[in-house]
Amino acid sequence: MSDAAATLDLVSPFHLRCDAQWTVTGVGRSLAKHLGVGVVGRSFDELLEVRRPARADARALERKAGQILLLRVRSTGLDLRGEWVTLPSGERAVLCSPWVTSEEQWRSSGIELTDLGPQDAAGDYLVLLTAARQQSIDLERLVEEVGAKERRLAAIVDNMREGLLLLDEEGVIESANRSATRLLGAPESELVGLAANSLLEAVPAAGEDAEALEWEVRPVHGPGFRGRGTSYEIRTMKGPRRVVLFRDATEEERLLQMQREFLAIVSHELRTPLASIQAPLGLVASGAMGDVSEEAREMLEIASRNGQRLRQLVDDVIDLERLQKGSLPMERVEFPLAELLERSRDALQPIAESEAVELTLESTPEGSAHGDQSRILQVVVNLGANAIKHTPQGGCVSVSLLADDRGLVVEVEDDGPGIPEELRERVFERFFQVSGSDRRQGGTGLGLAISRLIVDQHDGSIEALEGADGSGSLFRARFPSPMEVKG
Ligand code: ADP
């Protein structure tokens, strides 16, 4: 097909090309489809009847180039509207569009929407018909898509592990997914219409996190259990609704407990062999077992330092496990602050000296505090050691122990890089370490988790803040006096 013919075909797929004798030399793709085979070489008049201008045949069209013609396909009766033009090659082209004025005609013509070209969009009735057809196709597709999406969503909701309840504004169950019916021991038909709070009794949240909720779940049939999940409001066409997502936390807790116990057992088993590796290392390194080369001593010291770290990790894991289980008895005695200050200094001063950090310690004179002194000391030393570790050489760390009749407040402030605000709560999580805290010297990420558990067992609180002058870190732990706790 020549370029000109291809272009014509694009614009007018119903066109017809003839030579100077009105013998057909080619037809557009849609007209070709409509007419079938054996078109080229036949005469124009054989194929098409000229209906307007009246009583015209092909030869009579000679002088009517550019005039609107009404033609009829003799073999099928399809009406065409168009005009003829002379192409630069001398060929004649009759540019046509189907002339359809009713839906009936459209249907019987067998023409598809895809047969039409841009020029055909000018046919009045056809344009409307085409637009209406297109809209109904779009609508059908849309309905199909929405239906498919709905089915996909329903499948997801039904196969979720979590129970899902949809509540109306009064908290009455409107629908329940398959997991919810399993967890609540009743089919959806039995659940719909029940007040959700008769099945899920909210347990006051331990933290402020509205996303993590706990319920005492009382199924319609079957034993009760502790549920955990979340609840939020959504807007629907029928008004606001509440979605409740919940799961059985019993299994989760059992697995967590198993994990903790496993960790504790492994740690216990590691403690003794570790000690028997470390002690001889120290002895050999000190030269007590004979001369050791400088190189060997360095290697032994590295091994000993790593052994020390491992020992620390094992001790921390064991401590954490005991504190979590509540199996570490806390002494509740009154003790002088001066004693705590002295013991804190003994533990922290050597670390500060080795890190070239200036350490200041102060306490309320003559003050006293209440609680387990060794455990409170553990908190002070952990906070102090962290502060020293994160302070550059030549910087300062201050530790203050302030007591009044409401209790003891421990404050540890440093000159370090501080902790980004969004991570100040997370540093109390087990094994959490702020990435990029470059002076970190192989900590375990457990110190602050342990400190928080110790503080919790004293009914106190611990928080990480920004240093007083807007830089560095300030850690504050409160150990309330027994009177405060009761009050
Ligand atoms: P670690 O053994 O890593 O010190 P911790 O639980 O004591 O574990 O601390 C958790 C993380 O909190 C640390 O790894 C560190 O990233 C960050 N952190 C603790 N104290 C400070 C501090 N004073 N300044 C900056 N970051 C700190």
Side-chain angles (χ1 to χ4, degrees), residues 386 389-390 414 419 427 432-434 437 443-445 447-448 473:
N386 274 352
K389 212 159 63 172
H390 290 93
D414 64 50
I419 301 169
V427 291
F432 185 85
Q433 296 186 308
V434 179
S437 52
T444 62
L448 290 176
S473 292

Side-chain angles (χ1 to χ4, degrees), residues 67-141:
Q67 185 178 324
I68 296 290
L69 310 172
L70 208 58
L71 307 166
R72 177 166 289 173
V73 177
R74 290 189 192 274
S75 57
T76 64
L78 173 70
D79 285 334
L80 298 169
R81 193 172 71 149
E83 62 184 295
W84 78 266
V85 293
T86 311
L87 300 178
S89 62
E91 265 186 316
R92 289 159 176 166
V94 188
L95 306 178
C96 300
S97 299
W99 179 240
V100 181
T101 50
S102 75
E103 176 135 23
E104 176 55 34
Q105 234 180 328
W106 168 259
R107 244 185 258 122
S108 64
S109 72
I111 298 170
E112 310 267 355
L113 287 175
T114 48
D115 292 338
L116 300 177
Q119 172 188 297
D120 306 321
D124 321 323
Y125 183 75
L126 204 55
V127 175
L128 289 178
L129 208 62
T130 311
R133 277 277 176 117
Q134 195 53 50
Q135 265 181 13
S136 81
I137 291 173
D138 287 351
L139 210 63
E140 251 170 52
R141 198 171 297 148

Side-chain angles (χ1 to χ4, degrees), residues 46 68 187 240 287 309 375 381 471:
E46 226 183 298
I68 296 290
R309 267 188 67 193
R375 290 293 167 186
V381 171
S471 69

